[in-house]
Amino acid sequence: MPRAPRILVFSGSLRSDSLNHAVALIAASGAESAGAELTILKLSDHPLPVYNQDIETQDGLPREASAIKKLFREHDGFIIGCPEYNSSITAALKNTIDWVSRPEDGYPPLDGFKGKVAGLVSCSPGPLGGIRGLPAVRSILSSIGVIVVPMQAAVPNIHECLKGNQFSSESTQVAVEGVGRAVADITLRMLD
Ligand SMILES: Cc1cc2nc3c(=O)[nH]c(=O)nc-3n(C[C@H](O)[C@H](O)[C@H](O)COP(=O)(O)O)c2cc1C
């Protein structure tokens, strides 16, 4: 019997009331009901400088980058709420990925990403639900060795359809929880 998959849940928003974070938590409930152990991460709790190779060359990874990288390393998979900014990934999410992708003494390259599983969800107050940002996130993660599950969910008109941790539409609830469930199921198979 494999151990429970460890899933890190976060969003690419630094906003305290992030709706994408809320949607990621709903996806995470699907992972939890499929047997995963969750860790919730707020990127705003670990402020990072904008990646600059001079900083890394002079001082190595900043303390907060190293702390986030450790969290990535210690988990088997990720559930990521992906806000769409100007039709693509947010700077905060890309900056986090860039820092975590950097090498650290004593660890193999890309150890925060390689062979881990990710599920992507998004939402937006607009009619497209942030779906245009998801291919960018999928492409970036895939290129650094993450297995991104095929299922994803983009929830439009989020202000009208989210009440607490429930969507007004049952099919949306099932779709979002299903992304988390897929992450847990695939991770579990890989641990077996
Ligand atoms: C710089 C910026 C660009 C945005 N671009 C888009 C966009 O391209 N498509 C969209 O649907 N919403 C866009 N939005 C609106 C966000 O979807 C909305 O602010 C959302 O609530 C952000 O996610 P969060 O609640 O998780 O912080 C943009 C917001 C900002 C601040």
Side-chain angles (χ1 to χ4, degrees):
M1 183 79 178
R3 63 170 171 77
R6 291 193 282 259
I7 307 297
L8 187 64
V9 185
F10 61 99
S11 88
S13 172
L14 301 178
R15 211 164 68 80
S16 49
D17 292 326
S18 166
L19 294 159
N20 283 275
H21 190 80
V23 173
L25 292 181
I26 295 172
S29 70
E32 194 168 37
S33 61
E37 284 173 9
L38 307 178
T39 303
I40 312 300
L41 166 67
K42 290 284 255 182
L43 294 183
S44 54
D45 289 339
H46 299 274
L48 292 173
V50 173
Y51 181 81
N52 175 344
Q53 200 161 2
D54 288 342
I55 299 176
E56 189 187 351
T57 304
Q58 281 160 32
D59 304 321
L61 289 194
R63 193 169 47 87
E64 295 294 1
S66 193
I68 297 182
K69 188 170 163 82
K70 180 168 183 287
L71 275 175
F72 275 57
R73 179 185 299 127
E74 290 171 349
H75 286 78
D76 307 303
F78 316 113
I79 291 171
I80 312 176
C82 305
E84 177 183 285
Y85 279 5
N86 298 313
S87 313
S88 192
I89 186 173
T90 61
L93 181 53
K94 182 60 163 57
N95 194 45
T96 301
I97 293 170
D98 287 345
W99 275 116
V100 172
S101 72
R102 300 305 297 158
E104 211 172 12
D105 280 350
Y107 295 101
L110 292 174
D111 64 326
F113 295 110
K114 260 191 191 162
K116 298 181 189 286
V117 177
L120 310 181
V121 292
S122 69
C123 69
S124 159
L128 299 180
I131 199 164
R132 292 172 301 180
L134 296 182
V137 182
R138 180 177 290 278
S139 165
I140 293 162
L141 291 177
S142 299
S143 75
I144 50 180
V146 178
I147 298 142
V148 186
V149 301
M151 192 187 280
Q152 61 185 27
V155 184
N157 307 317
I158 188 69
H159 290 301
E160 290 153 34
C161 69
L162 182 64
K163 302 275 174 286
N165 61 355
Q166 285 284 323
F167 293 106
S168 48
S169 142
E170 178 64 18
S171 61
T172 305
Q173 189 81 21
V174 168
V176 171
E177 288 182 11
V179 173
R181 184 173 288 278
V183 172
D185 286 347
I186 293 171
T187 309
L188 205 52
R189 276 189 227 170
M190 291 175 67
L191 291 173
D192 204 357

